[in-house]
Amino acid sequence: MKRYDDDDDRVWNCGAWFEYILVVVVSSILLIAASVLTIFWTIYYRKGFNMDDPKLQFNLHPVLMIGGYITLSGFCKRLPVPSVDNSWTECFIHVLIVVAILLYRICRCCSHLIVKLCHTFFHACSIPCIVIGFMAVWDSHNQQQIPNFYSLHSWLGMITMGLFALQFVLGFFSFLILLCCENATYKFRSTMVPIHASFGVATFMLAIATAVTGLTQKAHFELGENYSQTVEEGIIMNSIGVILTGLGIIIPFAVRRSNSPANCKVYVTERI
């Protein structure tokens, strides 16, 4: 019997290989650049990290969120500062989700179960990033008597974290635990595939939106009128935002394209 996770065609032509390599290289560069540039920004312009200083403690938030929720998560799908708000935590969470997305597309030479386990592992790595990043910004705000959960950035962040948690729990249960009764649960899992995949991409796009709104908010609070003067730090922050926007374009494209370039007719949303 044909399975929903079977590829119909594994033929790759030259154009397919070129597209495949181009997407992998560009997305990898952008994923790494997002984290590297964020770390550089927080260390060089925001004076690094110090748990004894609430302002420097906050710097963990953007680094962990972009590094975890976007970079790690993006690699998984392909294979895949400080602001006065508490949604920068959502940025590193957003980096771990992208790794999980890209990993699912790239590693077609491995067993499907191995790919699933790697996909789950990279997403699981974002959990401590979420917790640490969230606690860092929460504690930093409380020490400085800054209100929490009042901005669009924080609202989007909470929605993103909620969707991520729901996705992880349902995905772990549906596509790993239920494999114990593979034949009996096949129809349920095949029904869950497009739902899980669609919400996975939606969660990633929300992560991008949260990070960009956080950067904009931070720029206005920290730089004030200097932001309009095209200062160096403002250029770096804008560059991070542009990179994140680029990821918001290329990652959904990579996920929605056929798994085996060119001729394969099975999409990632039909393979989970």
Side-chain angles (χ1 to χ4, degrees):
M1 181 177 67
K2 184 183 181 327
R3 310 295 296 184
Y4 69 89
D5 55 357
D6 289 336
D7 283 336
D8 291 333
D9 195 336
R10 296 179 181 273
V11 179
W12 292 34
N13 59 27
C14 293
W17 271 109
F18 176 78
E19 175 198 336
Y20 177 80
I21 294 174
L22 181 64
V23 170
V24 169
V25 171
V26 173
S27 56
S28 296
I29 292 174
L30 292 179
L31 286 167
I32 294 172
S35 286
V36 170
L37 200 56
T38 302
I39 293 172
F40 169 76
W41 168 57
T42 53
I43 292 177
Y44 188 81
Y45 294 101
R46 296 289 105 202
K47 302 179 180 179
F49 317 98
N50 188 337
M51 297 303 291
D52 296 326
D53 185 332
K55 290 186 176 181
L56 300 185
Q57 175 184 338
F58 182 84
N59 290 346
L60 288 171
H61 185 59
V63 172
L64 288 177
M65 293 314 229
I66 290 182
Y69 217 169
I70 294 175
T71 297
L72 289 181
S73 197
F75 272 118
C76 187
K77 295 187 191 303
R78 178 176 65 71
L79 297 225
V81 300
S83 135
V84 284
D85 205 15
N86 59 333
S87 304
W88 263 110
T89 307
E90 289 87 87
C91 295
F92 191 79
I93 308 174
H94 309 180
V95 177
L96 276 179
I97 287 182
V98 182
V99 175
I101 297 173
L102 287 183
L103 179 65
Y104 216 79
R105 170 173 166 83
I106 291 181
C107 298
R108 314 318 276 176
C109 57
C110 302
S111 161
H112 194 55
L113 178 60
I114 297 299
V115 177
K116 283 184 178 182
L117 291 174
C118 291
H119 182 78
T120 303
F121 172 77
F122 275 99
H123 279 303
C125 288
S126 68
I127 295 176
C129 297
I130 298 171
V131 173
I132 296 173
F134 181 81
M135 294 305 297
V137 71
W138 178 273
D139 187 54
S140 173
H141 281 185
N142 289 341
Q143 291 187 54
Q144 299 178 78
Q145 297 184 334
I146 297 175
N148 295 296
F149 309 119
Y150 69 90
S151 69
L152 175 62
H153 173 60
S154 61
W155 286 24
L156 289 176
M158 292 303 296
I159 294 173
T160 304
M161 288 193 292
L163 282 177
F164 172 77
L166 183 63
Q167 277 280 95
F168 185 85
V169 172
L170 291 180
F172 185 82
F173 175 78
S174 300
F175 303 112
L176 287 179
I177 300 299
L178 291 185
L179 284 178
C180 297
C181 305
E182 183 174 3
N183 292 329
T185 61
Y186 166 72
K187 288 186 178 180
F188 172 77
R189 288 183 291 113
S190 62
T191 300
M192 287 295 297
V193 166
I195 298 174
H196 182 72
S198 297
F199 275 93
V201 174
T203 302
F204 178 67
M205 297 305 292
L206 276 171
I208 295 293
T210 303
V212 171
T213 54
L215 280 169
T216 303
Q217 180 175 296
K218 182 64 176 177
H220 283 290
F221 273 107
E222 294 293 334
L223 302 180
E225 295 181 357
N226 292 330
Y227 187 40
S228 62
Q229 303 303 315
T230 319
V231 295
E232 189 175 278
E233 182 177 359
I235 294 176
I236 296 296
M237 297 175 75
N238 288 349
S239 298
I240 297 173
V242 170
I243 291 173
L244 294 175
T245 302
L247 286 169
I249 296 172
I250 195 169
I251 297 299
F253 170 79
V255 172
R256 294 301 304 180
R257 290 294 287 170
S258 56
N259 296 323
S260 294
N263 296 323
C264 179
K265 298 171 184 172
V266 180
Y267 287 83
V268 102
T269 51
E270 299 165 343
R271 244 195 99 94
I272 295 177

